[in-house]
Amino acid sequence: GDPDACPAESKDAAAADDVAGGRGRSALPAEKAQPGPLRDTLVLTLSTVMALVAAAVSAFFSSSVLAAINQHLHGLEAHRWLGQILGGMPLEVTLAALFLLPPAVAILCACGSASPQARYSRPRRASTAAIAGGLLIGLLAGPAPGPYTDIVSDKDVLSTEGGQRYARKKYSQLAAEGAT
């Protein structure tokens, strides 16, 4: 088995890679492309670090873009409609989407195509999968459209007769305390 192979790749793709001399990912001669434990550890560490950075940056980017779009579209009827639709979704559905969709998309991106010509190196597949998952996390966890609430009437306390009497009384008490 190929350590770089995705579990979803078919045996036909592995057989085609064997027929091609194992050069599906590398143009190096077969004797120079032999993986070793140090190389595998280094590639895995590099892939992991690159994937974490790519996922964090893409999640931040997509969430920031979503916030800017929300600010730009705020008040439009379509934006209000989208806010009502998303606001009416059950919490279980949104949590399931947040926890299941990004890993599923990342797995699909990591596996990619089963053809030997379309296969890429482990770091490249990991980065691509992390970017796709991070973008989706940023979109799903980002700010929702809105907030749209019913008009709240704000009544100033001093605009009522009782409020004005209360303010005069407090002011005179504070003035009397300051004078003594």
Side-chain angles (χ1 to χ4, degrees), residues 2-3 10-11 18 20 35 45 62-63 75-76 90 96 102 112-113 120-121 129 132 136 138 142 145 159-160 166 172:
D2 183 6
S10 67
K11 295 196 184 281
D18 290 341
T45 303
S62 64
S63 183
L76 297 178
S113 175
Y120 298 108
S121 67
L136 198 52
S159 66
T160 63
Y166 176 78
S172 62

Side-chain angles (χ1 to χ4, degrees), residues 1 16 19 21 26 46 58 67 71-72 79 115 118 144 149 163 179-180:
V19 170
S26 173
L46 178 67
S58 62
Q71 183 179 7
H72 183 70
H79 197 254
S115 69
T149 58
T180 57

Side-chain angles (χ1 to χ4, degrees), residues 3-5 17 24 36 49 86 88-89 124 131 139 141 147 151 155-156:
D4 287 347
D17 191 34
V49 170
L86 294 177
M89 287 184 135
R124 188 173 189 182
I131 289 170
L139 290 176
I151 296 175
K155 190 179 270 190
D156 190 6

Side-chain angles (χ1 to χ4, degrees), residues 64-86:
S64 299
V65 167
L66 188 62
I69 289 171
N70 278 339
Q71 183 179 7
H72 183 70
L73 298 178
H74 187 77
L76 297 178
E77 188 61 35
H79 197 254
R80 287 180 185 269
W81 176 78
L82 183 62
Q84 289 173 349
I85 296 292
L86 294 177

Side-chain angles (χ1 to χ4, degrees), residues 15-61:
D17 191 34
D18 290 341
V19 170
R23 294 185 183 178
R25 286 170 306 282
S26 173
L28 296 174
E31 61 273 358
K32 288 187 179 178
Q34 294 297 324
L38 182 61
R39 179 183 171 271
D40 285 346
T41 304
L42 184 62
V43 167
L44 182 62
T45 303
L46 178 67
S47 298
T48 304
V49 170
M50 283 176 37
L52 288 173
V53 169
V57 168
S58 62
F60 175 76
F61 173 77

